[in-house]
């Protein structure tokens, strides 16, 4: 196993008429919480999409735990332990919270879907995000803040490893303010937050960000 959880070496991605990434370098150690900062068009989203298999790099290498990887699809990156939560919601509002979290990866008990087990696990994942809700209810019955947390829960359930998270921080911090669930030692003056999955405890933690 390598020193870094994930590492990009000399990654270049070109689109017609533009070089989105040029010799990009990124190295993340266990427990680190990196932030990508740049103006629109700087290549932040492209880097994430290369890392998660949405785009393939034209040049360069990707390593996960020291092992070289070539991601052609998001499923391949997920299998390697990488998941992405996009700002745009991808919620099936008529389906239950449980069905949204387990969509296309339902678990079975015998020949039937194991809804008892999935409901329990969905509730646990949502509670880890500070959302004490009934996962049997339709996702559309909840507000935007909870729906954003459902998106995060989908990635948390799928992969307990590297997390690439693009969170609509207005919804996340807004929900925190409404419920009064502030992390220990933090105040309501938060402007932005980063949500990450800690490698050792497999839990969600909130970190103060730049205003």
């Amino acid at each position: 196993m390598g020193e870094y959880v994930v590492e990009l070496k000399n990654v270049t991605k070109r689109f017609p008429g533009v070089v989105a990434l040029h010799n990009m370098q990124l190295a993340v150690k266990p427990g680190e919480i990196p932030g990508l900062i740049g103006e629109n068009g700087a290549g932040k989203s492209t880097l994430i999409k290369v890392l998660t298999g949405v785009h393939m790099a034209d040049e360069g290498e990707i390593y996960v735990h020291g092992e070289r990887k070539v991601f052609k699809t998001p499923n391949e990156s997920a299998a390697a332990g990488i998941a992405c939560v996009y700002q745009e919601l991808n919620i099936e509002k008529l389906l239950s919270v449980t069905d949204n979290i387990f969509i296309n990866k339902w678990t079975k008990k015998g020949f039937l879907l194991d809804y008892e087990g999935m409901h329990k696990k969905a509730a646990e994942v949502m509670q880890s995000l500070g959302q004490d809700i009934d996962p049997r209810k339709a996702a559309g019955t909840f507000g935007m803040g909870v729906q954003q947390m459902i998106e995060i829960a989908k990635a948390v359930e799928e992969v307990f490893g590297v997390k690439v998270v693009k969170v609509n921080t207005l919804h996340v911090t807004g929900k925190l303010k409404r419920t009064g669930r502030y992390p220990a030692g933090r105040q309501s003056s938060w402007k932005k937050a980063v949500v990450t999955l800690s490698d050792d405890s497999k839990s969600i933690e909130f970190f103060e960000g730049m205003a």
Side-chain angles (χ1 to χ4, degrees):
M1 183 175 294
E3 177 183 2
Y4 301 106
V5 177
V6 64
E7 186 176 10
L8 277 67
K9 294 183 177 180
N10 303 315
V11 169
T12 295
K13 178 61 183 178
R14 303 181 184 88
F15 296 104
V18 63
V19 178
L21 298 174
H22 178 64
N23 289 337
M24 179 67 195
Q25 313 285 338
L26 177 68
V28 182
K29 293 182 178 181
E32 284 189 331
I33 309 167
L36 300 178
I37 301 173
E39 298 179 354
N40 289 338
K44 303 183 299 297
S45 294
T46 301
L47 184 148
I48 289 174
K49 289 179 178 179
V50 166
L51 185 58
T52 55
V54 177
H55 298 319
M56 287 188 64
D58 296 314
E59 300 173 13
E61 300 172 340
I62 299 175
Y63 292 86
V64 178
H65 294 295
E67 182 179 349
R68 186 177 178 182
K69 299 290 185 178
V70 177
F71 300 136
K72 298 179 181 179
T73 68
N75 287 339
E76 291 181 358
S77 68
I82 301 175
C84 181
V85 179
Y86 289 98
Q87 180 173 324
E88 297 79 14
L89 295 180
N90 185 26
I91 296 290
E92 296 292 340
K93 295 185 179 182
L94 297 180
L95 297 181
S96 69
V97 173
T98 296
D99 281 321
N100 271 276
I101 293 175
F102 285 91
I103 196 164
N104 293 327
K105 50 183 184 292
W106 293 278
T107 60
K108 291 184 177 182
K109 179 181 287 187
F111 295 102
L112 301 176
L113 294 178
D114 182 18
Y115 268 106
E116 181 180 355
M118 288 189 292
H119 286 319
K120 181 180 179 181
K121 191 169 184 179
E124 291 174 351
V125 173
M126 292 303 295
Q127 286 172 3
S128 75
L129 293 167
Q131 307 300 313
D132 188 10
I133 63 173
D134 183 356
R136 296 170 176 80
K137 291 185 176 180
T141 62
F142 298 99
M144 193 67 70
V146 174
Q147 290 183 30
Q148 181 69 67
M149 291 299 186
I150 294 172
E151 284 285 0
I152 296 172
K154 288 159 65 174
V156 171
E157 191 283 327
E158 182 176 6
V159 181
F160 287 98
V162 177
K163 285 291 173 291
V164 180
V165 181
K166 291 181 66 179
V167 179
N168 187 327
T169 55
L170 175 62
H171 293 161
V172 173
T173 56
K175 182 62 180 176
L176 286 169
K177 290 176 182 177
R178 286 197 298 274
T179 61
R181 291 190 179 97
Y182 297 105
R186 299 299 188 187
Q187 303 299 322
S188 60
S189 60
W190 273 25
K191 299 299 182 182
K192 296 183 180 179
V194 175
V195 183
T196 185
L197 186 69
S198 61
D199 186 64
D200 55 346
S201 63
K202 301 294 188 294
S203 63
I204 294 296
E205 299 177 344
F206 290 83
F207 295 85
E208 187 175 11
M210 297 176 61

